[in-house]
Amino acid sequence: MRQNQIKRNLHASKPSVGCWLTLASPSVAEALSHCGFEWLLIDAEHGPNDTGDVAAQLRAIDAARAHGAEVDAAVRVRSNEVALVKRAMDCGAQTIFLPTIESVEEARIAIASTRFPDHGNGGLRGVAGLVRAGRYGLDPEYVSNANLEACAVLQIETAMGLNNVEGIAALPGADCLFIGPADLSASLGYLGQSKHPVVLEAIEHILNVCKIAGKAAGIFATSGDEAAQYRARGFSLISLHSDVAWLTRGAKNALSDFALGRDKSDPIMR
């Protein structure tokens, strides 16, 4: 089975940049695969992505990789439920983002949901080999190697999660703690103020806890400059916004450039 490069980068403390896929479009997923992102996240929490949409976009990313793209896929499930994780992984996802992890017990269940039961590891994922992830039963190594490639990214995005972050980071199998600044700021009482000093202090605390625990930290960035700053501070898994953001920003910037160009060349518009 294919090696999970996202997981290898995290464990090697190698920064990587990705992008959220929220439009439920295989064509968008395939196009962005060729843009240089190291990973793409299919968002089934806020995006209108059901299991069929997830599978279609995983196929699109695989198709791009077959044509030279160096990109990996991840899936964010809509909630921390074993059945949802199982379906995403059966479709072929190896890296799972689990939203709103607030306690050590929730984190333990999240990690276990990405693992097949094996030698008392507490795995909760149901075993199925006749699925896309196992090449429909044609990959003889799939079941035995799937746990090695499974990657659990736990999202810390509430005040309760912040309070329990030390215990969460200490858990074996927690490959990365990922910060959602928008949700975290709202939970801390500063809705829409992700740059508030209290929120920034919380983000720095989570990052430091990860460093002490030897775990990777990730975060959502809204611009290239912000993403570069996060990388310099020690974040490993950095999302550079989303498909819909680049679509709308590109359109608005093009229209702005067009208007400015027309004003300069057309005396009627002066």
Side-chain angles (χ1 to χ4, degrees), residues 214-237:
K215 299 295 175 65
I219 196 163
F220 187 92
T222 58
S223 69
D225 287 342
E226 186 176 56
Q229 292 170 18
Y230 285 138
R231 179 180 58 191
R233 289 167 56 188
F235 284 95
S236 297
L237 196 68

Side-chain angles (χ1 to χ4, degrees), residues 150-167:
C151 180
V153 179
L154 310 179
Q155 291 194 246
I156 308 300
E157 45 193 354
T158 65
M160 187 178 295
L162 175 66
N163 291 337
N164 293 313
V165 69
E166 288 88 354

Side-chain angles (χ1 to χ4, degrees), residues 72-96:
D72 282 278
V75 172
R76 177 164 70 169
V77 292
R78 70 170 180 262
S79 60
N80 185 15
E81 297 178 45
V82 175
L84 297 178
V85 174
K86 173 174 59 178
R87 298 196 76 178
M89 298 191 81
D90 285 352
C91 287
Q94 295 176 312
T95 298
I96 302 294

